Amino acid sequence: MNSTATETRIDKIVTTKSNKKKVFIETYGCQMNFADSEVVLSILKNNQYEKSENAIESDLILINTCSIREKAEINIRKKLSAYKKLKKNNKIKIGVLGCMAERLKKKFLEEEKIVDLVVGPDSYRDIPNLLDKVGNNERAINVKLSKFETYEKIIPERINSNKVSAFVSITRGCDNMCTFCVVPFTRGRERSRDPKSILNEIHLLEKKGFKEVTLLGQNVDSYLWYGGGLKKDYSKASSLQKKTSLRFNNLLEIIAKEKPKMRIRFSTSNPQDMSDEVIEAISKYRNICKHIHLPFQSGSNKILKKMNRLHTREEYLRLITKIKNKIPNCSISHDIITGFPSENDEDHLDTLNLMESVKYDYGYMFKYSERPGTLAQKKFTDNVPMEIKNIRLNEIILKQKNHSFFRNQQYLNKIVCVLIEKESKKSDEFWSGRTTQNVVVVFSKKNFSLGDFVDVRVENCTSATLIGDGLRISKDI
Ligand code: 5AD
Ligand code: SF4
């Protein structure tokens, strides 16, 4: 072999090899966490990192964590122990982000020796500085919560994107203080993001071919932009700030008008904050999706009060009636917690009855999990036995399954407009997409493409999915 040939070859290797470090990001929990991981990746990409698909091959593993229930935290601890082996033979650094980082703070570093970096949800801009410390073999932490941070101007780097639908966060934190919930402690006080930066992000998504955005926040209906700052400080705003402030219905309308070809979804809504104007906006604009995720947690007024939910059963039901009257084709989903302290059979029946009167399209159902530091943990005993929680949860799940099936049956033989999002998991000959009501529909691919809006005739259904035949490109959205 002649030496110049070898040199050239080495040269080529040198020029094609990236000198960037590799980061592997793993996300647990809610949609907000998934959206945050995309912000973190964007920050890291601007700091000489690139995304890795594989933990073993990376220089940095980041786990974006969830604290909402004990089980979520247990899973994350298990994952960390699995990474112990990896760390032994390797120079990999491990960072913990998100709610669990915020909840445990320094304790995390004490309890989990393999963790090098702990960063709370409002401190992601500091990650590059913290990584410098980690590079010097120090352990680094920043868990400061912020009055202002909304990560505006950071364009998220999409992870596992289907290139059709994306999350866009519009508020951070939560002021509600439901007694069972750890979120107000881990994500801080509520603040809203500048509408200009929201619109800019959506504009860039549209330019890349995205067809749907989901506006995210713990409580989107209480969106309030008055120039920046906490929602609770609105009373201190100047009269000009108040006069020019924007609420959620204004934001929805602005986006709906600006982006008539994009679908707009939003989550999560809280009953006490859903205004008539928001309902009006949903009914008025065809590109605002006809679906509302409206958790009620319990059907019993006694339990709602102990949960510090800011609505009664009756108020909640009145709101549902209002929505159904104004938007007859609107689907409604829920979150329910069963087995909250002191919940008895009568309270449980109240929950089942409420479900019966609404007949939700779908929902998320959980057993109460006591969280350290919450008001419920301080004030009440977690006194519903696990067996009872299990029985109640199964009853709730069964009822929901029946209602979902009932709701899906209403679409049989009808034509629905579906946005194609991905290949069906069960067959590569089928597309999978959703209707405006957020119902999943699968149908034969034919000549349709990812991102198409398609009129589909519904021929069959299960409680989770509609199965149909794609007829033509839809004029609807
Ligand atoms: N235990 C069980 N479920 C909970 N949720 C929030 N906190 C808890 C808890 N401590 C549920 C609520 C909320 C959803 C995001 O998670 O139903 O709406
Ligand atoms: Fe938690 Fe209640 Fe805030 Fe939702 S509204 S994040 S359940 S405190």
PDB file of all heavy atoms in Angstrom, residues 55-79:
ATOM      1  N   ALA A  55     -27.972   5.563  23.831  1.00  0.00           N
ATOM      2  CA  ALA A  55     -27.373   5.992  25.099  1.00  0.00           C
ATOM      3  C   ALA A  55     -25.890   5.612  25.179  1.00  0.00           C
ATOM      4  O   ALA A  55     -25.059   6.409  25.610  1.00  0.00           O
ATOM      5  CB  ALA A  55     -28.137   5.386  26.265  1.00  0.00           C
ATOM      6  N   ILE A  56     -25.557   4.396  24.743  1.00  0.00           N
ATOM      7  CA  ILE A  56     -24.175   3.900  24.900  1.00  0.00           C
ATOM      8  C   ILE A  56     -23.180   4.751  24.126  1.00  0.00           C
ATOM      9  O   ILE A  56     -22.060   4.975  24.562  1.00  0.00           O
ATOM     10  CB  ILE A  56     -24.049   2.438  24.394  1.00  0.00           C
ATOM     11  CG1 ILE A  56     -25.122   1.581  25.067  1.00  0.00           C
ATOM     12  CG2 ILE A  56     -22.669   1.867  24.660  1.00  0.00           C
ATOM     13  CD1 ILE A  56     -25.235   0.190  24.512  1.00  0.00           C
ATOM     14  N   GLU A  57     -23.601   5.245  22.974  1.00  0.00           N
ATOM     15  CA  GLU A  57     -22.671   5.998  22.120  1.00  0.00           C
ATOM     16  C   GLU A  57     -22.571   7.472  22.475  1.00  0.00           C
ATOM     17  O   GLU A  57     -21.889   8.224  21.802  1.00  0.00           O
ATOM     18  CB  GLU A  57     -23.141   5.912  20.664  1.00  0.00           C
ATOM     19  CG  GLU A  57     -22.802   4.608  20.020  1.00  0.00           C
ATOM     20  CD  GLU A  57     -23.434   4.495  18.655  1.00  0.00           C
ATOM     21  OE1 GLU A  57     -24.022   5.487  18.179  1.00  0.00           O
ATOM     22  OE2 GLU A  57     -23.338   3.404  18.087  1.00  0.00           O
ATOM     23  N   SER A  58     -23.278   7.892  23.523  1.00  0.00           N
ATOM     24  CA  SER A  58     -23.331   9.334  23.750  1.00  0.00           C
ATOM     25  C   SER A  58     -22.335   9.797  24.809  1.00  0.00           C
ATOM     26  O   SER A  58     -21.790   8.989  25.562  1.00  0.00           O
ATOM     27  CB  SER A  58     -24.751   9.743  24.130  1.00  0.00           C
ATOM     28  OG  SER A  58     -25.157   8.981  25.213  1.00  0.00           O
ATOM     29  N   ASP A  59     -22.085  11.115  24.825  1.00  0.00           N
ATOM     30  CA  ASP A  59     -21.219  11.709  25.854  1.00  0.00           C
ATOM     31  C   ASP A  59     -22.056  12.140  27.040  1.00  0.00           C
ATOM     32  O   ASP A  59     -21.570  12.269  28.148  1.00  0.00           O
ATOM     33  CB  ASP A  59     -20.522  12.947  25.287  1.00  0.00           C
ATOM     34  CG  ASP A  59     -19.705  12.605  24.059  1.00  0.00           C
ATOM     35  OD1 ASP A  59     -18.631  12.025  24.233  1.00  0.00           O
ATOM     36  OD2 ASP A  59     -20.182  12.879  22.932  1.00  0.00           O
ATOM     37  N   LEU A  60     -23.329  12.426  26.747  1.00  0.00           N
ATOM     38  CA  LEU A  60     -24.208  12.952  27.790  1.00  0.00           C
ATOM     39  C   LEU A  60     -25.579  12.293  27.671  1.00  0.00           C
ATOM     40  O   LEU A  60     -26.162  12.262  26.587  1.00  0.00           O
ATOM     41  CB  LEU A  60     -24.329  14.479  27.588  1.00  0.00           C
ATOM     42  CG  LEU A  60     -25.314  15.245  28.442  1.00  0.00           C
ATOM     43  CD1 LEU A  60     -24.879  15.241  29.917  1.00  0.00           C
ATOM     44  CD2 LEU A  60     -25.422  16.705  27.950  1.00  0.00           C
ATOM     45  N   ILE A  61     -26.068  11.786  28.817  1.00  0.00           N
ATOM     46  CA  ILE A  61     -27.439  11.259  28.837  1.00  0.00           C
ATOM     47  C   ILE A  61     -28.258  12.207  29.695  1.00  0.00           C
ATOM     48  O   ILE A  61     -27.889  12.496  30.834  1.00  0.00           O
ATOM     49  CB  ILE A  61     -27.496   9.839  29.453  1.00  0.00           C
ATOM     50  CG1 ILE A  61     -26.689   8.848  28.617  1.00  0.00           C
ATOM     51  CG2 ILE A  61     -28.942   9.371  29.590  1.00  0.00           C
ATOM     52  CD1 ILE A  61     -26.607   7.458  29.234  1.00  0.00           C
ATOM     53  N   LEU A  62     -29.365  12.707  29.125  1.00  0.00           N
ATOM     54  CA  LEU A  62     -30.257  13.562  29.914  1.00  0.00           C
ATOM     55  C   LEU A  62     -31.588  12.850  30.095  1.00  0.00           C
ATOM     56  O   LEU A  62     -32.156  12.328  29.120  1.00  0.00           O
ATOM     57  CB  LEU A  62     -30.482  14.897  29.204  1.00  0.00           C
ATOM     58  CG  LEU A  62     -29.260  15.808  29.079  1.00  0.00           C
ATOM     59  CD1 LEU A  62     -29.617  17.067  28.299  1.00  0.00           C
ATOM     60  CD2 LEU A  62     -28.708  16.179  30.461  1.00  0.00           C
ATOM     61  N   ILE A  63     -32.072  12.818  31.326  1.00  0.00           N
ATOM     62  CA  ILE A  63     -33.388  12.213  31.569  1.00  0.00           C
ATOM     63  C   ILE A  63     -34.312  13.325  32.042  1.00  0.00           C
ATOM     64  O   ILE A  63     -34.078  13.939  33.095  1.00  0.00           O
ATOM     65  CB  ILE A  63     -33.305  11.106  32.641  1.00  0.00           C
ATOM     66  CG1 ILE A  63     -32.187  10.107  32.283  1.00  0.00           C
ATOM     67  CG2 ILE A  63     -34.632  10.380  32.757  1.00  0.00           C
ATOM     68  CD1 ILE A  63     -32.035   8.989  33.280  1.00  0.00           C
ATOM     69  N   ASN A  64     -35.332  13.603  31.239  1.00  0.00           N
ATOM     70  CA  ASN A  64     -36.308  14.624  31.626  1.00  0.00           C
ATOM     71  C   ASN A  64     -37.422  13.920  32.410  1.00  0.00           C
ATOM     72  O   ASN A  64     -38.133  13.079  31.877  1.00  0.00           O
ATOM     73  CB  ASN A  64     -36.847  15.339  30.386  1.00  0.00           C
ATOM     74  CG  ASN A  64     -37.504  16.650  30.751  1.00  0.00           C
ATOM     75  OD1 ASN A  64     -37.712  16.952  31.931  1.00  0.00           O
ATOM     76  ND2 ASN A  64     -37.854  17.436  29.743  1.00  0.00           N
ATOM     77  N   THR A  65     -37.543  14.278  33.676  1.00  0.00           N
ATOM     78  CA  THR A  65     -38.283  13.432  34.614  1.00  0.00           C
ATOM     79  C   THR A  65     -39.663  13.968  34.977  1.00  0.00           C
ATOM     80  O   THR A  65     -39.964  15.148  34.810  1.00  0.00           O
ATOM     81  CB  THR A  65     -37.483  13.314  35.924  1.00  0.00           C
ATOM     82  OG1 THR A  65     -37.330  14.644  36.447  1.00  0.00           O
ATOM     83  CG2 THR A  65     -36.128  12.676  35.696  1.00  0.00           C
ATOM     84  N   CYS A  66     -40.475  13.060  35.534  1.00  0.00           N
ATOM     85  CA  CYS A  66     -41.844  13.376  35.938  1.00  0.00           C
ATOM     86  C   CYS A  66     -42.037  12.962  37.393  1.00  0.00           C
ATOM     87  O   CYS A  66     -41.542  11.923  37.815  1.00  0.00           O
ATOM     88  CB  CYS A  66     -42.787  12.595  35.031  1.00  0.00           C
ATOM     89  SG  CYS A  66     -44.502  12.641  35.548  1.00  0.00           S
ATOM     90  N   SER A  67     -42.776  13.777  38.132  1.00  0.00           N
ATOM     91  CA  SER A  67     -43.006  13.502  39.562  1.00  0.00           C
ATOM     92  C   SER A  67     -44.470  13.307  39.880  1.00  0.00           C
ATOM     93  O   SER A  67     -44.840  13.217  41.047  1.00  0.00           O
ATOM     94  CB  SER A  67     -42.530  14.693  40.407  1.00  0.00           C
ATOM     95  OG  SER A  67     -41.154  14.685  40.525  1.00  0.00           O
ATOM     96  N   ILE A  68     -45.312  13.282  38.864  1.00  0.00           N
ATOM     97  CA  ILE A  68     -46.747  13.410  39.107  1.00  0.00           C
ATOM     98  C   ILE A  68     -47.304  12.294  39.995  1.00  0.00           C
ATOM     99  O   ILE A  68     -48.138  12.539  40.846  1.00  0.00           O
ATOM    100  CB  ILE A  68     -47.536  13.545  37.771  1.00  0.00           C
ATOM    101  CG1 ILE A  68     -48.907  14.141  38.018  1.00  0.00           C
ATOM    102  CG2 ILE A  68     -47.654  12.252  37.015  1.00  0.00           C
ATOM    103  CD1 ILE A  68     -49.021  15.576  37.717  1.00  0.00           C
ATOM    104  N   ARG A  69     -46.816  11.074  39.771  1.00  0.00           N
ATOM    105  CA  ARG A  69     -47.200   9.951  40.646  1.00  0.00           C
ATOM    106  C   ARG A  69     -45.945   9.213  41.075  1.00  0.00           C
ATOM    107  O   ARG A  69     -44.920   9.278  40.381  1.00  0.00           O
ATOM    108  CB  ARG A  69     -48.161   9.004  39.903  1.00  0.00           C
ATOM    109  CG  ARG A  69     -49.590   9.541  39.811  1.00  0.00           C
ATOM    110  CD  ARG A  69     -50.435   8.754  38.854  1.00  0.00           C
ATOM    111  NE  ARG A  69     -50.049   9.016  37.488  1.00  0.00           N
ATOM    112  CZ  ARG A  69     -50.463  10.058  36.763  1.00  0.00           C
ATOM    113  NH1 ARG A  69     -51.316  10.912  37.266  1.00  0.00           N
ATOM    114  NH2 ARG A  69     -50.033  10.250  35.532  1.00  0.00           N
ATOM    115  N   GLU A  70     -46.036   8.477  42.175  1.00  0.00           N
ATOM    116  CA  GLU A  70     -44.853   7.794  42.700  1.00  0.00           C
ATOM    117  C   GLU A  70     -44.287   6.816  41.661  1.00  0.00           C
ATOM    118  O   GLU A  70     -43.079   6.675  41.510  1.00  0.00           O
ATOM    119  CB  GLU A  70     -45.219   7.050  43.988  1.00  0.00           C
ATOM    120  CG  GLU A  70     -43.996   6.589  44.745  1.00  0.00           C
ATOM    121  CD  GLU A  70     -44.341   5.730  45.945  1.00  0.00           C
ATOM    122  OE1 GLU A  70     -45.512   5.316  46.076  1.00  0.00           O
ATOM    123  OE2 GLU A  70     -43.427   5.468  46.738  1.00  0.00           O
ATOM    124  N   LYS A  71     -45.198   6.167  40.931  1.00  0.00           N
ATOM    125  CA  LYS A  71     -44.759   5.171  39.950  1.00  0.00           C
ATOM    126  C   LYS A  71     -43.815   5.783  38.903  1.00  0.00           C
ATOM    127  O   LYS A  71     -42.833   5.147  38.510  1.00  0.00           O
ATOM    128  CB  LYS A  71     -45.994   4.588  39.250  1.00  0.00           C
ATOM    129  CG  LYS A  71     -45.823   3.157  38.833  1.00  0.00           C
ATOM    130  CD  LYS A  71     -47.168   2.550  38.488  1.00  0.00           C
ATOM    131  CE  LYS A  71     -47.078   1.783  37.189  1.00  0.00           C
ATOM    132  NZ  LYS A  71     -48.386   1.611  36.574  1.00  0.00           N
ATOM    133  N   ALA A  72     -44.113   7.000  38.510  1.00  0.00           N
ATOM    134  CA  ALA A  72     -43.261   7.675  37.510  1.00  0.00           C
ATOM    135  C   ALA A  72     -41.848   7.814  38.064  1.00  0.00           C
ATOM    136  O   ALA A  72     -40.859   7.554  37.373  1.00  0.00           O
ATOM    137  CB  ALA A  72     -43.843   9.038  37.165  1.00  0.00           C
ATOM    138  N   GLU A  73     -41.765   8.192  39.326  1.00  0.00           N
ATOM    139  CA  GLU A  73     -40.437   8.386  39.933  1.00  0.00           C
ATOM    140  C   GLU A  73     -39.704   7.051  40.082  1.00  0.00           C
ATOM    141  O   GLU A  73     -38.495   6.977  39.892  1.00  0.00           O
ATOM    142  CB  GLU A  73     -40.572   9.083  41.292  1.00  0.00           C
ATOM    143  CG  GLU A  73     -41.015  10.532  41.158  1.00  0.00           C
ATOM    144  CD  GLU A  73     -40.646  11.380  42.369  1.00  0.00           C
ATOM    145  OE1 GLU A  73     -40.128  10.824  43.356  1.00  0.00           O
ATOM    146  OE2 GLU A  73     -40.869  12.610  42.306  1.00  0.00           O
ATOM    147  N   ILE A  74     -40.458   5.994  40.434  1.00  0.00           N
ATOM    148  CA  ILE A  74     -39.830   4.674  40.594  1.00  0.00           C
ATOM    149  C   ILE A  74     -39.222   4.222  39.255  1.00  0.00           C
ATOM    150  O   ILE A  74     -38.090   3.738  39.208  1.00  0.00           O
ATOM    151  CB  ILE A  74     -40.850   3.641  41.127  1.00  0.00           C
ATOM    152  CG1 ILE A  74     -41.224   3.992  42.568  1.00  0.00           C
ATOM    153  CG2 ILE A  74     -40.305   2.214  41.043  1.00  0.00           C
ATOM    154  CD1 ILE A  74     -42.368   3.202  43.154  1.00  0.00           C
ATOM    155  N   ASN A  75     -39.973   4.435  38.178  1.00  0.00           N
ATOM    156  CA  ASN A  75     -39.465   4.056  36.846  1.00  0.00           C
ATOM    157  C   ASN A  75     -38.170   4.778  36.521  1.00  0.00           C
ATOM    158  O   ASN A  75     -37.247   4.201  35.948  1.00  0.00           O
ATOM    159  CB  ASN A  75     -40.489   4.408  35.760  1.00  0.00           C
ATOM    160  CG  ASN A  75     -41.581   3.383  35.716  1.00  0.00           C
ATOM    161  OD1 ASN A  75     -41.415   2.267  36.200  1.00  0.00           O
ATOM    162  ND2 ASN A  75     -42.727   3.757  35.157  1.00  0.00           N
ATOM    163  N   ILE A  76     -38.113   6.058  36.890  1.00  0.00           N
ATOM    164  CA  ILE A  76     -36.915   6.843  36.578  1.00  0.00           C
ATOM    165  C   ILE A  76     -35.717   6.344  37.405  1.00  0.00           C
ATOM    166  O   ILE A  76     -34.605   6.220  36.903  1.00  0.00           O
ATOM    167  CB  ILE A  76     -37.193   8.345  36.777  1.00  0.00           C
ATOM    168  CG1 ILE A  76     -38.140   8.810  35.666  1.00  0.00           C
ATOM    169  CG2 ILE A  76     -35.915   9.165  36.769  1.00  0.00           C
ATOM    170  CD1 ILE A  76     -38.964  10.028  35.989  1.00  0.00           C
ATOM    171  N   ARG A  77     -35.977   6.015  38.661  1.00  0.00           N
ATOM    172  CA  ARG A  77     -34.901   5.457  39.503  1.00  0.00           C
ATOM    173  C   ARG A  77     -34.379   4.159  38.888  1.00  0.00           C
ATOM    174  O   ARG A  77     -33.183   3.889  38.884  1.00  0.00           O
ATOM    175  CB  ARG A  77     -35.425   5.146  40.907  1.00  0.00           C
ATOM    176  CG  ARG A  77     -35.918   6.348  41.648  1.00  0.00           C
ATOM    177  CD  ARG A  77     -34.806   7.018  42.410  1.00  0.00           C
ATOM    178  NE  ARG A  77     -35.359   8.050  43.278  1.00  0.00           N
ATOM    179  CZ  ARG A  77     -34.635   8.831  44.044  1.00  0.00           C
ATOM    180  NH1 ARG A  77     -33.334   8.717  44.058  1.00  0.00           N
ATOM    181  NH2 ARG A  77     -35.205   9.743  44.792  1.00  0.00           N
ATOM    182  N   LYS A  78     -35.311   3.332  38.378  1.00  0.00           N
ATOM    183  CA  LYS A  78     -34.892   2.062  37.753  1.00  0.00           C
ATOM    184  C   LYS A  78     -34.000   2.338  36.554  1.00  0.00           C
ATOM    185  O   LYS A  78     -32.996   1.674  36.345  1.00  0.00           O
ATOM    186  CB  LYS A  78     -36.136   1.294  37.264  1.00  0.00           C
ATOM    187  CG  LYS A  78     -36.787   0.459  38.339  1.00  0.00           C
ATOM    188  CD  LYS A  78     -37.784  -0.505  37.704  1.00  0.00           C
ATOM    189  CE  LYS A  78     -38.776  -0.989  38.736  1.00  0.00           C
ATOM    190  NZ  LYS A  78     -40.133  -1.150  38.198  1.00  0.00           N
ATOM    191  N   LYS A  79     -34.402   3.322  35.770  1.00  0.00           N
ATOM    192  CA  LYS A  79     -33.627   3.670  34.583  1.00  0.00           C
ATOM    193  C   LYS A  79     -32.226   4.112  34.990  1.00  0.00           C
ATOM    194  O   LYS A  79     -31.227   3.716  34.393  1.00  0.00           O
ATOM    195  CB  LYS A  79     -34.350   4.807  33.853  1.00  0.00           C
ATOM    196  CG  LYS A  79     -33.938   4.994  32.452  1.00  0.00           C
ATOM    197  CD  LYS A  79     -34.495   3.931  31.563  1.00  0.00           C
ATOM    198  CE  LYS A  79     -33.553   3.651  30.416  1.00  0.00           C
ATOM    199  NZ  LYS A  79     -34.197   2.920  29.335  1.00  0.00           N
TER     200      LYS A  79
END
